Amino acid sequence: MNDSVLMPYNKIPQYQLATVLLVGSEGIGKHDFGKCLIKNSWFYLQVRTAITLPLPLTSDKSRPRIDYICFLIDLTSRDSLKTVEESLKHVDVRYFLGQCCFIALKVKNPEKRAIFIEQIVQLSKQYKSDVLYGSFETEEESIFLAEQILKSVEIAAGMQKNVTPMFLESTRFVGTEEEGEK
């Protein structure tokens, strides 16, 4: 397999520790949101940030196992979507089985959007990954998004007893596929 592809299971998991990778353009608040994730976590959490993937190969040995990836998309910037789309090419397909999500930011002002919500929904369907809509404008909004992500991270990292990302994925699209066949 290509060395530039980020693999989910290439390292041994550590007890009660999860690592989240935030991928998105500069200036959208990744670092502040990372601090919010750590502050609101009920387990040991590491947060790494990247503007684009692939990650540098030189740090592969010291890089921790990445349990969950959040792709941050600023709806007011077309470049933000392009950055995420390019980064998706460097992610192993197994991450799309409940170990990643898209976060659409700045959804409150439709007149300022450069990206249509339908584009994000299509991306979500294509990669069978969740989309969270929100903003980092207030602390309450950041905390709400952080709590949603932390629930998924806990499952993806194997800390939730008897629940796996694959189990959740197996129940996810049952209703929507049946409706499309009618």
Side-chain angles (χ1 to χ4, degrees):
M1 183 143 258
N2 189 344
D3 286 339
S4 68
V5 174
L6 188 62
M7 306 290 284
Y9 302 114
N10 63 345
K11 304 233 175 171
I12 297 172
Q14 294 181 338
Y15 181 71
Q16 292 294 311
L17 173 70
T19 303
V20 175
L21 177 63
L22 303 177
V23 179
S25 301
E26 277 187 272
I28 58 175
K30 287 189 304 274
H31 296 284
D32 290 337
F33 185 61
K35 290 175 187 175
C36 182
L37 283 168
I38 292 169
K39 180 181 173 185
N40 290 287
S41 176
W42 50 91
F43 49 88
Y44 295 112
L45 181 71
Q46 291 181 346
V47 177
R48 303 292 173 115
T49 62
I51 296 170
T52 62
L53 295 178
L55 296 173
L57 292 175
T58 57
S59 64
D60 189 49
K61 300 252 188 276
S62 63
R63 181 184 312 132
R65 170 184 157 136
I66 306 292
D67 296 297
Y68 200 81
I69 304 174
C70 297
F71 294 99
L72 306 173
I73 304 169
D74 179 354
L75 294 181
T76 62
S77 169
R78 289 185 195 274
D79 290 337
S80 179
L81 180 60
K82 288 178 187 174
T83 298
V84 167
E85 289 175 331
E86 285 299 314
S87 294
L88 287 167
K89 296 174 186 176
H90 301 282
V91 176
D92 186 81
V93 69
R94 291 174 287 182
Y95 272 109
F96 302 113
L97 298 173
Q99 292 183 284
C100 75
C101 72
F102 298 101
I103 302 174
L105 300 170
K106 299 183 182 176
V107 295
K108 287 184 179 179
N109 301 323
E111 63 278 353
K112 294 182 181 179
R113 288 186 199 151
I115 301 169
F116 294 109
I117 295 287
E118 291 79 19
Q119 290 173 282
I120 307 301
V121 170
Q122 186 61 36
L123 197 63
S124 168
K125 286 181 181 177
Q126 181 180 352
Y127 289 97
K128 297 200 183 315
S129 298
D130 293 330
V131 180
L132 300 173
Y133 300 93
S135 176
F136 298 154
E137 292 173 14
T138 67
E139 186 177 357
E140 292 80 22
E141 291 172 322
S142 294
I143 290 171
F144 178 76
L145 278 174
E147 288 172 350
Q148 299 303 307
I149 290 167
L150 289 169
K151 289 174 188 173
S152 296
V153 171
E154 184 181 28
I155 293 167
M159 292 183 223
Q160 186 68 270
K161 190 174 184 178
N162 298 326
V163 181
T164 65
M166 184 69 83
F167 173 73
L168 293 179
E169 283 299 309
S170 69
T171 62
R172 182 165 177 221
F173 288 103
V174 174
T176 56
E177 289 176 5
E178 289 175 359
E179 291 172 12
E181 293 175 1
K182 290 182 181 178

